[in-house]
Every structure is written in C-alpha cells, then in structure tokens.
Amino acid sequence: MTDHVTLAMGGGGKQTNELIGEIFKKNLNNKFFTADDAAVLPQPKGRVAMSTDGFIVSPAFFPGGNVGELSVCGTVNDLTCMGARPLYLTCSYVIEEGYPIADLRKIVESMADTARKCGVSIVAGDTKVAEKGHVDGCFITTAGVGEILDGIETSGKFAADGDAVIVTGDIGRHGTAIALARNDFGIEADVTSDCAPLWYPIEAALKAAPDIHVIRDATRGGVGTVLYEICHESGVGINIFREKVPVLPQVQGVCDMLGFDPMNLACEGRMVIMVPQDEADSVVEALQGFEDTKGACVIGNVSKEAERVGHVIVKTAIGTETYLPEASNELLPRIC
C-alpha cells in the first residue's frame, strides 16, 4: 500500500479492498461487522433511538482527540440523550486524494478504541476518495441505533417548573481547543478537548433518577444554545448562577482575550440535564463517580414565571441579573 490515499483506492477494485482490509476491517472488525451490502443484526427488545451526524472538524487532530474519536462520541452521545444504550454504528468516509495513510490509520484506530470504550459495534461502512482539493482531508458521517431503557422518556419539551439544571463538567473546552489548534490567534494555553462518550455515566444517572426530564448534548453553540433550545421547546425560562458554572481558568483566560463567552463555546463531552430538584443530588453523585463527568454540578433552575419564559437569565455573584444573549448568525470559533 502507498503512503498516501489515491483515487484508485476509491474506485471499487483491488486497491479499495486493500484499503478496507488493511485500515478499516483490521481495526473495526467485530462479530457484526460485514463485508456484505448491509449488516444483519439482532433486533432490540424495546424502543429504539436512531441518529446520524457528520464530522468535518479542522484540524482533524486536536489536543485531546481527533475526528475519528469525535465521530463515535457525537453519535453515541446523541443516542445517550434519549436514554438509549448504543448498540450499532455505521460510518462513511470521504477522504481527499493524497491524504496520508498514517493519519487515516490513526483516525480509524481512535474510532475503534472509542467504540470499544462505550460498548458499541461498528457494523458497516462506506469509503469514497475525492479529488485533491474537493475535501479538506477526511470527512466522516456516522449513524447509530440504540435501545432505550425501560421506563425512560427524555425530551427537550419535558423541562418542568422548578427542575434543577445540571452540567456534567466544565464547559467551553472543545471550542477553545479547536480555536487554539488552528493557531489563528498566536495564543498558547494548556487546553484539551473534553471529547468523550458518555453512555455509562448517563446510564448510572438514569438508574439513580429515572424521572430525568431532559438530557441534551451541548455541542455546537455550547450550553447557552442548548438552554435556549429547551426554553423554546418547553415554554419555560431558565435561571443560571454564573459563579456555579464550571469553567477552567485557562479556558476563561482565552475567552477573555478573544471576547468569547464559554456558555456559547462547543463541548463534545458535556451534557445538560434537567431533573426534579429532589433528585438532583442523586444525579450529581452518580455522575461524579465517572472520570469524564466528575465535575458534574447544579448550575441553575427552570422557571415558569411569565416574565422569564423564553429567556436564559444569568444571575451574577453580586446578585444582579442579565439576559444571556441568544446566539445567532455565525458561531465563533466555527468548529465544523
């Protein structure tokens, strides 16, 4: 095999089979992985959730992860938000002609490692090679199926008056890491992405508090955008206590220099959870038992007061209140 991806590797012949065998099958193989046109899978016993997502992050390698790891985390976490145990993923690669085989191998290895970490099987895929300049390196699309736990029903429309608002850890780290990795600003800071699959922590939280109302993945647009989405879906307002929102000092420092708000920066391993107040401590305790969610905490509450409905209101340390601006137009830094 050559050191770089060639157009012939996307042509469907011998070189395509070599690429699939040496890179994809070698790393992703499991008892469900198929060479046929579609995977044949055991039927889940209960309700299923299904999701799909595309990943075009630039750079493909960033502090704390890469696009392969990200592509598994993104779809696994979307299923997780519905209380669904991730079962199966498919993946589609579009690779630029001339892309280094060594980099592709690292991406696929990371994808396989992350899938094993959260117990999901990658069962089928597709590979295309685009002419040089038509793709920025390597684009991945994943689709996933999960089995929803018995008795669990979550949605952005279920937020209720008085619910506690929980985040599963410090926020804004992925967006900051991507901005620094591009080296557009000449800033150096020790910031790594929070990219992580969160099924096992969320499963523990759901067992501790089956009445969780909302679980939402805070990716593009960050926690602030998710809060506004829930406001609109549920017809509520949300109060946030600024001093309780966890932000790493180095992330806050970068934000201060660039004029960003951590509330609007992307996360890839953080969720927003809304649960009745009397179950909030149980959820936080369950989450804190896992490395990726050990920073979980309550940051606010849900309100149905008429003047607050449709707004995210931030309460400062000195007791003043202000509206969190609802993000619009282009979100910076653009992560995909």
Side-chain angles (χ1 to χ4, degrees):
M1 184 180 294
T2 64
D3 292 336
H4 294 82
V5 174
T6 66
L7 284 175
M9 291 178 178
K14 178 181 177 182
Q15 287 165 296
T16 300
N17 291 332
E18 288 179 351
L19 178 69
I20 292 171
E22 289 297 316
I23 302 296
F24 294 102
K25 184 177 180 180
K26 182 177 180 179
N27 289 287
L28 304 179
N29 200 28
N30 58 75
K31 64 180 180 179
F32 299 121
F33 189 87
T34 184
D36 291 323
D37 289 339
V40 178
L41 307 167
Q43 183 176 345
K45 296 178 181 178
R47 294 173 298 151
V48 299
M50 184 172 182
S51 183
T52 188
D53 207 347
F55 302 88
I56 58 174
V57 64
S58 179
F61 294 86
F62 48 83
N66 63 58
V67 68
E69 178 181 359
L70 183 63
S71 67
V72 174
C73 291
T75 296
V76 162
N77 289 346
D78 285 346
L79 297 172
T80 295
C81 287
M82 307 315 296
R85 177 183 292 107
L87 298 177
Y88 313 119
L89 292 184
T90 65
C91 62
S92 174
Y93 275 71
V94 181
I95 311 163
E96 183 181 22
E97 176 190 10
Y99 197 71
I101 289 290
D103 286 352
L104 180 61
R105 193 185 304 274
K106 290 176 186 176
I107 288 169
V108 178
E109 287 172 350
S110 293
M111 190 178 214
D113 289 344
T114 308
R116 284 190 287 269
K117 182 178 178 181
C118 54
V120 69
S121 297
I122 298 174
V123 299
D126 181 57
T127 305
K128 295 291 189 294
V129 178
E131 293 179 1
K132 193 169 184 64
H134 289 197
V135 175
D136 183 12
C138 177
F139 293 170
I140 304 175
T141 299
T142 52
V145 173
E147 183 178 19
I148 300 173
L149 299 182
D150 288 343
I152 300 300
E153 190 168 7
T154 62
S155 171
K157 63 186 179 184
F158 292 159
D161 190 32
D163 277 358
V165 178
I166 297 169
V167 293
T168 60
D170 63 275
I171 69 170
R173 208 158 16 114
H174 182 72
T176 303
I178 293 298
L180 296 177
R182 291 174 183 161
N183 202 29
D184 291 337
F185 306 107
I187 298 172
E188 293 185 7
D190 183 17
V191 180
T192 58
S193 172
D194 56 10
C195 185
L198 297 182
W199 164 245
Y200 292 122
I202 296 299
E203 180 187 33
L206 287 166
K207 289 180 178 178
D211 196 30
I212 287 176
H213 293 156
V214 180
I215 309 174
R216 187 61 67 86
D217 195 11
T219 52
R220 279 183 299 182
V223 170
T225 294
V226 163
L227 294 176
Y228 266 108
E229 289 172 353
I230 295 167
C231 278
H232 300 322
E233 287 183 61
S234 290
V236 299
I238 297 175
N239 302 312
I240 297 298
F241 303 98
R242 177 64 81 170
E243 72 276 12
K244 294 185 178 181
V245 178
V247 182
L248 293 181
Q250 55 269 43
V251 170
Q252 188 63 60
V254 173
C255 289
D256 290 343
M257 285 188 283
L258 299 178
F260 296 151
D261 186 341
M263 290 288 286
N264 293 327
L265 288 181
C267 308
E268 286 294 348
R270 298 290 179 257
M271 292 188 179
V272 174
I273 298 172
M274 297 184 182
V275 63
Q277 285 281 357
D278 60 359
E279 297 185 48
D281 288 345
S282 296
V283 171
V284 169
E285 183 179 358
L287 291 169
Q288 289 179 345
F290 294 82
E291 181 65 25
D292 291 324
T293 53
K294 64 183 180 182
C297 61
V298 175
I299 63 168
N301 56 62
V302 176
S303 174
K304 278 221 166 183
E305 293 180 24
E307 66 273 15
R308 294 178 182 269
V309 169
H311 300 289
V312 177
I313 297 169
V314 178
K315 297 189 175 186
T316 69
I318 60 173
T320 60
E321 294 185 347
T322 184
Y323 290 131
L324 178 72
E326 187 169 3
S328 60
N329 300 319
E330 183 75 1
L331 295 171
L332 297 174
R334 196 173 194 276
I335 63 163
C336 62

